[in-house]
Structures are given as C-alpha cells and as structure tokens.
Amino acid sequence: MFDVKAIRRDFPMFQNNPELIYFDSAATSFKPQKVIDAVMDYYCNKTVNIHRGDYDLSFNVSNTYEEAREVARKFINAQSSDEIVFTNGASSALNLVAYGYGQKYLTADDVILSSEAEHASNILPWFRVAEVTGAKIEYIPLRPDGSFDIELFKKAMHSGVKVVTLAQVSNVLGYILPMKEIAKIAHSYGAVVVCDGAQSVPHIKTDVQDTDIDFLAFSGHKMCGPSGVGVLYGKYALLDKMDAFMLGGGSNARFDICGNILLKKPPFKFEAGTPCIEGVLGLKAAMEYLMDIGMENVEANDKMLVHYLSSKLLELPNIELYNPHSDCAICTFNVKGVFAQDAATYLNTKHIAVRSGNHCAKILLNVIGASETIRASMYLYNTKEEIDRFVKEVAQIDLDKCVGVFL
Amino acid sequence: MMDENLKRTILLDHYSHPRNKGLSDDPTYRTLHMASDSCIDDIKVQVKVKDGIVEDLRFDGVGCTISFASTSIFTELLKGKSVKEALALIEEYYAMLDEKTYNPEDLEEANAFDTLYKQANRIKCGTIGVKGIEELIRESVKNEK
Ligand SMILES: Cc1ncc(COP(=O)(O)O)c(C=O)c1O
C-alpha cells in the first residue's frame, strides 16, 4: 500500500517546514531520515577512508561502499556491479562518457544524434566532443508540442550516427521516451545509446538490460539521496575500452618512474581519489528506501499526481499548460500575461516553491515557443491536497498581484 | 517611502508600456547585451553619449516586471543628463537598493523601487539594465578622453 502520510513522516523537511509546498523535486528531492542517518552514521561512527586500511573500520566501510554498488546494480538491473561507476552526479557521469568514449572514438566523419529537449549537462559535453573530434551534432526534430516521435527518430538515424544521446525524461516536459525501441534502432546502425537518466531513474522503474541502453547517467540528490554523488552505468565491454577522465590514487594498479601506468579494471579505473564516501552510503540508503516502497508504486503515484495537476491547470483560464500529456510528475506552464519569474516570486510569498526559467534546456524554447516557464515538479511525498492548495493560488495570479509583492 | 498605489501604477505602466523599447541601427549608439546567469532576464541596452551628454537610451529583450520597469524608467530618467549627473543618479539608485542612505529627490519614478530590497533575490532584476547603461556611459567617457 502506498501510504503518503507515512512517507511524509519519513522526511524531516516536512516537519521543519510545515507551511511549505515543495514543487521543485526535479531540481532536487527531499531526503528521508534513513538517508540522513546513513550519512550521519558515517560521520559519527565510521569516518575512515576506503580500500586502504588494515583495520576493521576501514574494512567494514569498504564493504558497505561496495555493497552500494550492488544495490545500484539491482536498482537499475545491470548485469554486474562492475558496471556501476560512482561519480559526482549525472553531469559528471555524462561528461565522463563524452570524454572517455566520445573524444576517444569519434572522428570527423561521425555524427552525435540528440534532441532539442536536452539538459545542458547532456548537450554541452557533446559540443566539446564535436569541437575536439570534428564530429557533427544532429538533432531529432520534436513534435510541435515538444514530445518525442519514434518515426522522426527513425528518419534522423543513419549509418554515420555513432552516438545517440537522449534524456529518457526531459526535465521540462516530463515525457517518457521509449528507450528500448530507441536502443534497438540505434544498435541496428551500430550506434551506442547514452541515456541521461537524471529525471527518469528517480521516477520510473529502470531496467538497463531490458532497454539495452549502453550508458546511463543519474544523480543521487534527485532520488532521495545526498548531493555530490551519482552513477554512470556502462556495459562492461564499453567501460573497459573507455578512457578515465581523472587519474590518481585508487584508480591505478601500478605505475613507475618512466610514466608507465597500469590502470585497474572498471569501475575502479574511473574512481581516482577519495570518493564521496558518505554520499555513496547515503545513496545506498536512498535506493533501498525507494525499492522498499517499490518503484512501480512511485511511478504509479507520480502519474496520478501529474494527471490530477494537469487536469486542474487545464481548467484555469489564466494558465497556458505546455505539457498536458506529461507522464512524469512535471507540469510546465505560464500564467498568461505574467513573466514566469514574477509568478514564481508571488507563489513564494504563499510558501510555494516552484522553479521559473528556462530550466537548462535552452534549445527547447524554440519548440514550445515560450522562452521562460514555470515548472511544478512533484515526487512520492506530494499530495492531492497540496495540488488543490497550489491550484487555488495559481488561479488567482495576475500581473497586479505579482507587482504587489514588490511594494 | 513612495505611496504604494503610485508605485503600483508606475511599475505596471512601465512594464506594460515600456519607454524607449526597440534598438537603433545608428552606429553612434553603444550596445551591450546583459544576460543574467542567475535569472532569466535577457536585455540589450543602448546609449548614445555626445559632448558629455547622455543624448539617448534604448533597450530591448525579455524580462520580468522589475527588470523591464527599471530599465524603462532609467532610459527616461537619464535622457538629456550630463554624464556626471547620470552616474550620480545611478549611484543614488544603488544606495537605495542596498538600504543605504540616499537622496530620493532626483530619482523621480525610480523611487518605485524603494522597497525592492524586501525581495532580496530580485534586486538583480532591478539592476540588470541599469548596470548595462552605467557600463556604456563609463565606456563612452573613456573613449571621449
Ligand atoms: C535531464 C537532466 N539531466 C542532467 C541533469 C544534471 O544533474 P546534476 O546537476 O545532478 O548533475 C539534470 C538536473 O537538473 C537534469 O534534469
């Protein structure tokens, strides 16, 4: 049973901010007590480095750290925990693929295929790959409403495409892409598929073996975990032939004075330096927490929330909703005649946290025709009652009220 | 403090009917693109300075009520002023936003922002266009020397 009241009790942010309606979970999510405890436990009871000590504490923390890899494997159903690389987050994971795979293997004849709905973190690293290798970036056109069309993808695919890089869920529109079909088509042309899972992994069940994607990047902080930690999943053979972005302690097996380096095998060759240990332990707790609830349940509840909010917003004459078919807890809209940031500032005076702006997906704006929008994004702890209160406030917004905030 | 209703009228008026909006092709105008990294305002400002006088100011772009209204008000306020007077007014305006002592007398409609400091995260919106104008005026002074 999905008991949102019980879930809310797990998150101290609600007790400590009783008036707040938090609709910005796409930016970062709240953390349950279990995650906070895991981080605190490391600080209070077992602050030691990993993979080095000859003493019990270090041995034990190293084991827990490696167990986190196994939990992550399970969470996304990877084949082996050696395919789980801990990073600082989705951005650093995406940069690692772009650098370690893209810059190493692409040439001037190659094409990187992406879409106009990508987050800066999944397109700027590829701009750099293009600059360094001479490869070209092409974009799959979107439907007029910004959604993904598999037929348009098929048309955009060709044998020059070596990398297809897409967010499974866009951080602006919340549409879910059919990764399995995409991977199948991309593979038939010999391209690898990079999936930006920053918005999908927290919200929908992820199965990398079923979808058969080649790389997946995601962040801990958007899925109840700490910030500063994330994951790059890669098929082992690809990780094995990829370059490390950073070199240093922990990633090498041996080196000598002549400059010869023998790197460890994946995933360790990518994890130079002391990692964010407490972050990994916290992420482990977060994934366990989500698996206890069941990602199917999280996904179903998200859908219920977003459909409820969309249907309410569609009824409001002063609102333009850009993604009425969103399936993933994100509603993007504007109040007619009011600049997005002004509306968000007004909502802030009502203790409602939303994000205004272009949401790091600057190219998409040409598609939906609005340069700035308000994004309301929800997660497993949000309720219909919050939506009702939110909709009531949004219904009243006009220019006059927004200006009133500054007087 | 300026009367609330008056402030409201001024802000709505300048946001809905911005003055000096639309850029000029005349090459004697200096142009500056002000894109804020912390918010979404994206404004271009233009200033024409001749013989130490701010002859004309223009702007265009997208922005919130505060960035639009403040830029619009300053394009009017500074027009015809000497460079020295214009820079002094801008300093008074910054002092007001910083809650320092300032002289409201010559700020005219810019007094509508005398409580902007209450929304600390939006003070930048009130300075984005003005900072651009200030930079262009300072540049023109350097170049005239
Ligand atoms: C779709 C998408 N990709 C990538 C990222 C980057 O994630 P992070 O900032 O955690 O590295 C985000 C975060 O906003 C996102 O929404």
PDB file of all heavy atoms in Angstrom, chain A residues 262-273:
ATOM      1  N   LEU A 262      49.553   1.403 -15.154  1.00  0.00           N
ATOM      2  CA  LEU A 262      48.645   0.289 -15.373  1.00  0.00           C
ATOM      3  C   LEU A 262      47.386   0.582 -14.571  1.00  0.00           C
ATOM      4  O   LEU A 262      47.426   0.627 -13.336  1.00  0.00           O
ATOM      5  CB  LEU A 262      49.284  -1.021 -14.899  1.00  0.00           C
ATOM      6  CG  LEU A 262      48.377  -2.247 -15.060  1.00  0.00           C
ATOM      7  CD1 LEU A 262      48.078  -2.515 -16.532  1.00  0.00           C
ATOM      8  CD2 LEU A 262      49.003  -3.459 -14.403  1.00  0.00           C
ATOM      9  N   LEU A 263      46.312   0.843 -15.294  1.00  0.00           N
ATOM     10  CA  LEU A 263      45.075   1.179 -14.593  1.00  0.00           C
ATOM     11  C   LEU A 263      44.379  -0.085 -14.128  1.00  0.00           C
ATOM     12  O   LEU A 263      44.528  -1.154 -14.709  1.00  0.00           O
ATOM     13  CB  LEU A 263      44.137   1.969 -15.517  1.00  0.00           C
ATOM     14  CG  LEU A 263      44.513   3.421 -15.770  1.00  0.00           C
ATOM     15  CD1 LEU A 263      43.514   4.078 -16.706  1.00  0.00           C
ATOM     16  CD2 LEU A 263      44.616   4.204 -14.467  1.00  0.00           C
ATOM     17  N   LYS A 264      43.562   0.091 -13.071  1.00  0.00           N
ATOM     18  CA  LYS A 264      42.723  -1.019 -12.625  1.00  0.00           C
ATOM     19  C   LYS A 264      41.641  -1.262 -13.667  1.00  0.00           C
ATOM     20  O   LYS A 264      41.476  -0.507 -14.616  1.00  0.00           O
ATOM     21  CB  LYS A 264      42.082  -0.648 -11.290  1.00  0.00           C
ATOM     22  CG  LYS A 264      43.057  -0.646 -10.128  1.00  0.00           C
ATOM     23  CD  LYS A 264      42.310  -0.392  -8.832  1.00  0.00           C
ATOM     24  CE  LYS A 264      43.283  -0.370  -7.669  1.00  0.00           C
ATOM     25  NZ  LYS A 264      42.661   0.156  -6.451  1.00  0.00           N
ATOM     26  N   LYS A 265      40.866  -2.275 -13.431  1.00  0.00           N
ATOM     27  CA  LYS A 265      39.739  -2.568 -14.325  1.00  0.00           C
ATOM     28  C   LYS A 265      38.559  -1.689 -13.912  1.00  0.00           C
ATOM     29  O   LYS A 265      38.524  -1.160 -12.806  1.00  0.00           O
ATOM     30  CB  LYS A 265      39.354  -4.047 -14.179  1.00  0.00           C
ATOM     31  CG  LYS A 265      40.452  -5.033 -14.544  1.00  0.00           C
ATOM     32  CD  LYS A 265      40.928  -4.887 -15.966  1.00  0.00           C
ATOM     33  CE  LYS A 265      40.090  -5.699 -16.951  1.00  0.00           C
ATOM     34  NZ  LYS A 265      40.554  -5.466 -18.345  1.00  0.00           N
ATOM     35  N   PRO A 266      37.554  -1.558 -14.800  1.00  0.00           N
ATOM     36  CA  PRO A 266      36.345  -0.839 -14.403  1.00  0.00           C
ATOM     37  C   PRO A 266      35.674  -1.584 -13.251  1.00  0.00           C
ATOM     38  O   PRO A 266      35.771  -2.811 -13.216  1.00  0.00           O
ATOM     39  CB  PRO A 266      35.446  -0.900 -15.642  1.00  0.00           C
ATOM     40  CG  PRO A 266      36.332  -1.321 -16.775  1.00  0.00           C
ATOM     41  CD  PRO A 266      37.475  -2.060 -16.184  1.00  0.00           C
ATOM     42  N   PRO A 267      34.977  -0.929 -12.383  1.00  0.00           N
ATOM     43  CA  PRO A 267      34.716   0.521 -12.360  1.00  0.00           C
ATOM     44  C   PRO A 267      35.826   1.336 -11.698  1.00  0.00           C
ATOM     45  O   PRO A 267      35.822   2.544 -11.767  1.00  0.00           O
ATOM     46  CB  PRO A 267      33.449   0.594 -11.487  1.00  0.00           C
ATOM     47  CG  PRO A 267      33.592  -0.553 -10.533  1.00  0.00           C
ATOM     48  CD  PRO A 267      34.270  -1.642 -11.299  1.00  0.00           C
ATOM     49  N   PHE A 268      36.827   0.614 -11.098  1.00  0.00           N
ATOM     50  CA  PHE A 268      37.794   1.312 -10.246  1.00  0.00           C
ATOM     51  C   PHE A 268      38.680   2.268 -11.022  1.00  0.00           C
ATOM     52  O   PHE A 268      39.151   3.253 -10.492  1.00  0.00           O
ATOM     53  CB  PHE A 268      38.614   0.297  -9.450  1.00  0.00           C
ATOM     54  CG  PHE A 268      37.736  -0.649  -8.692  1.00  0.00           C
ATOM     55  CD1 PHE A 268      37.522  -1.955  -9.143  1.00  0.00           C
ATOM     56  CD2 PHE A 268      37.057  -0.218  -7.563  1.00  0.00           C
ATOM     57  CE1 PHE A 268      36.675  -2.806  -8.469  1.00  0.00           C
ATOM     58  CE2 PHE A 268      36.204  -1.072  -6.880  1.00  0.00           C
ATOM     59  CZ  PHE A 268      36.011  -2.374  -7.339  1.00  0.00           C
ATOM     60  N   LYS A 269      38.893   1.980 -12.301  1.00  0.00           N
ATOM     61  CA  LYS A 269      39.804   2.855 -13.030  1.00  0.00           C
ATOM     62  C   LYS A 269      39.216   4.253 -13.203  1.00  0.00           C
ATOM     63  O   LYS A 269      39.946   5.206 -13.478  1.00  0.00           O
ATOM     64  CB  LYS A 269      40.168   2.242 -14.389  1.00  0.00           C
ATOM     65  CG  LYS A 269      39.125   2.366 -15.468  1.00  0.00           C
ATOM     66  CD  LYS A 269      39.732   1.930 -16.826  1.00  0.00           C
ATOM     67  CE  LYS A 269      38.717   2.073 -17.940  1.00  0.00           C
ATOM     68  NZ  LYS A 269      39.207   1.583 -19.226  1.00  0.00           N
ATOM     69  N   PHE A 270      37.897   4.377 -13.005  1.00  0.00           N
ATOM     70  CA  PHE A 270      37.264   5.694 -13.147  1.00  0.00           C
ATOM     71  C   PHE A 270      37.142   6.439 -11.819  1.00  0.00           C
ATOM     72  O   PHE A 270      36.676   7.563 -11.787  1.00  0.00           O
ATOM     73  CB  PHE A 270      35.861   5.538 -13.743  1.00  0.00           C
ATOM     74  CG  PHE A 270      35.871   4.895 -15.094  1.00  0.00           C
ATOM     75  CD1 PHE A 270      35.451   3.581 -15.261  1.00  0.00           C
ATOM     76  CD2 PHE A 270      36.311   5.608 -16.205  1.00  0.00           C
ATOM     77  CE1 PHE A 270      35.465   2.986 -16.510  1.00  0.00           C
ATOM     78  CE2 PHE A 270      36.327   5.012 -17.463  1.00  0.00           C
ATOM     79  CZ  PHE A 270      35.904   3.698 -17.619  1.00  0.00           C
ATOM     80  N   GLU A 271      37.484   5.782 -10.738  1.00  0.00           N
ATOM     81  CA  GLU A 271      37.239   6.383  -9.424  1.00  0.00           C
ATOM     82  C   GLU A 271      38.548   6.784  -8.739  1.00  0.00           C
ATOM     83  O   GLU A 271      38.880   6.302  -7.661  1.00  0.00           O
ATOM     84  CB  GLU A 271      36.418   5.432  -8.542  1.00  0.00           C
ATOM     85  CG  GLU A 271      35.018   5.201  -9.086  1.00  0.00           C
ATOM     86  CD  GLU A 271      34.175   4.238  -8.245  1.00  0.00           C
ATOM     87  OE1 GLU A 271      34.585   3.890  -7.127  1.00  0.00           O
ATOM     88  OE2 GLU A 271      33.102   3.848  -8.725  1.00  0.00           O
ATOM     89  N   ALA A 272      39.258   7.690  -9.368  1.00  0.00           N
ATOM     90  CA  ALA A 272      40.518   8.164  -8.790  1.00  0.00           C
ATOM     91  C   ALA A 272      40.244   9.097  -7.622  1.00  0.00           C
ATOM     92  O   ALA A 272      39.316   9.881  -7.657  1.00  0.00           O
ATOM     93  CB  ALA A 272      41.335   8.900  -9.855  1.00  0.00           C
ATOM     94  N   GLY A 273      41.062   9.000  -6.620  1.00  0.00           N
ATOM     95  CA  GLY A 273      40.909   9.890  -5.464  1.00  0.00           C
ATOM     96  C   GLY A 273      39.868   9.364  -4.498  1.00  0.00           C
ATOM     97  O   GLY A 273      39.097   8.464  -4.815  1.00  0.00           O
TER      98      GLY A 273
END
